C-alpha cells in the first residue's frame, strides 16, 4: 500500500533520494567506518540484523557497542534506551542499516529509535520540551559509539563521554 507509513517502495532505491545516498555511500565505502540512521520512536539502539533473528558473526561486538551507547544516554539524562537486535523489534527486510552491514560490509551499522518510549501517548510527535534533551543524550551516545567502532585494527579514537 503506497499510502502506508511503512511502504517499502516498488524496488530497492526506486526513489531519487535513496538512490543518491546509495550511490554516494558505495562510491565512498572504503572511507566509511560507521553507518547510523535515526528514526523515531521507541528509545532503542538497534543492531544488525533486521531481516532475520539469526545473529551476525560480529554480534558480541554489537552488544558491547550497544551497552556503551545506552550507558552514555542514561548517564547524560537518566533516560533508558534498550539495545537490541533490529529484528527483535519486528523483522523487516530492506532497511538501510542492513544494506550497509551486508552489502557495504560495515560491521558498525546501527539505527537509533529516539524518544519517546513506546508507551508514550506522544508517538511520533515528541513534545518540544524533550527535543533538546534528546539531542544532548544522542550526541553523547554517538561519541560512545565512535569510541567503540571496529576499526579492523586501525587507530581508535581515545576519548570518553
Amino acid at each position: 500500500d503506497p499510502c502506508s507509513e511503512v511502504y517499502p517502495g516498488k524496488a530497492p532505491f526506486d526513489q531519487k533520494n535513496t538512490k543518491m545516498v546509495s550511490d554516494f555511500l558505495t562510491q565512498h565505502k572504503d572511507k566509511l567506518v560507521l553507518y547510523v540512521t535515526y528514526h523515531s520512536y521507541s528509545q532503542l539502539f538497534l543492531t544488525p540484523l533486521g531481516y532475520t533473528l539469526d545473529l551476525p558473526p560480529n554480534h558480541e561486538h554489537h552488544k558491547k557497542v550497544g551497552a556503551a551507547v545506552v550507558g552514555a544516554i542514561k548517564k547524560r539524562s537518566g533516560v533508558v534506551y534498550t539495545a537490541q537486535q533490529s529484528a527483535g523489534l519486528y523483522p523487516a527486510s530492506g532497511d538501510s542499516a542492513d544494506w550497509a552491514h551486508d552489502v557495504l560490509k560495515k560491521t558498525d551499522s546501527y539505527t537509533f529509535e529516539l524518544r519517546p518510549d513506546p508507551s508514550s501517548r506522544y508517538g511520533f510527535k515528541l513534545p518540544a520540551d524533550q527535543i533538546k534533551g534528546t539531542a544532548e543524550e544522542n550526541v553523547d551516545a554517538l561519541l560512545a559509539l565512535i569510541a567503540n567502532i571496529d576499526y579492523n585494527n586501525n587507530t581508535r579514537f581515545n576519548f570518553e563521554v
Side-chain angles (χ1 to χ4, degrees):
D1 175 10
C3 296
S4 167
E5 289 181 352
V6 294
Y7 177 64
K10 294 177 184 177
F13 309 115
D14 66 343
Q15 300 299 306
K16 287 181 184 179
N17 61 330
T18 59
K19 178 68 174 143
M20 289 173 59
V21 170
S22 72
D23 288 349
F24 178 84
L25 293 175
T26 300
Q27 181 180 355
H28 298 285
K29 73 179 182 178
D30 293 337
K31 298 175 187 174
L32 184 69
V33 294
L34 171 65
Y35 181 83
V36 177
T37 181
Y38 288 89
H39 299 208
S40 64
Y41 62 99
S42 288
Q43 293 175 206
L44 297 171
F45 179 73
L46 301 175
T47 64
L49 296 163
Y51 60 87
T52 178
L53 290 170
D54 293 343
L55 299 178
N58 38 27
H59 179 68
E60 290 302 316
H61 170 72
H62 295 145
K63 284 175 39 179
K64 178 185 139 208
V65 172
V69 165
V70 300
I73 291 171
K74 188 170 185 179
K75 181 178 177 183
R76 162 62 80 157
S77 63
V79 172
V80 175
Y81 277 57
T82 301
Q84 68 179 57
Q85 185 181 3
S86 188
L89 179 59
Y90 55 86
S93 63
D95 70 72
S96 63
D98 284 349
W99 176 79
H101 183 272
D102 289 356
V103 176
L104 298 181
K105 304 296 184 204
K106 301 306 162 187
T107 298
D108 290 292
S109 181
Y110 305 102
T111 299
F112 284 85
E113 293 283 351
L114 302 174
R115 294 188 204 184
D117 70 68
S119 65
S120 170
R121 64 187 170 123
Y122 299 113
F124 291 106
K125 296 180 181 181
L126 187 66
D129 65 350
Q130 292 187 40
I131 294 172
K132 183 178 178 190
T134 301
E136 291 171 343
E137 69 200 17
N138 277 279
V139 167
D140 288 357
L142 187 58
L143 292 173
L145 195 166
I146 291 168
N148 285 280
I149 288 175
D150 178 5
Y151 289 96
N152 296 317
N153 301 315
N154 292 323
T155 305
R156 289 184 174 269
F157 292 111
N158 292 311
F159 58 86
E160 300 226 356
V161 178

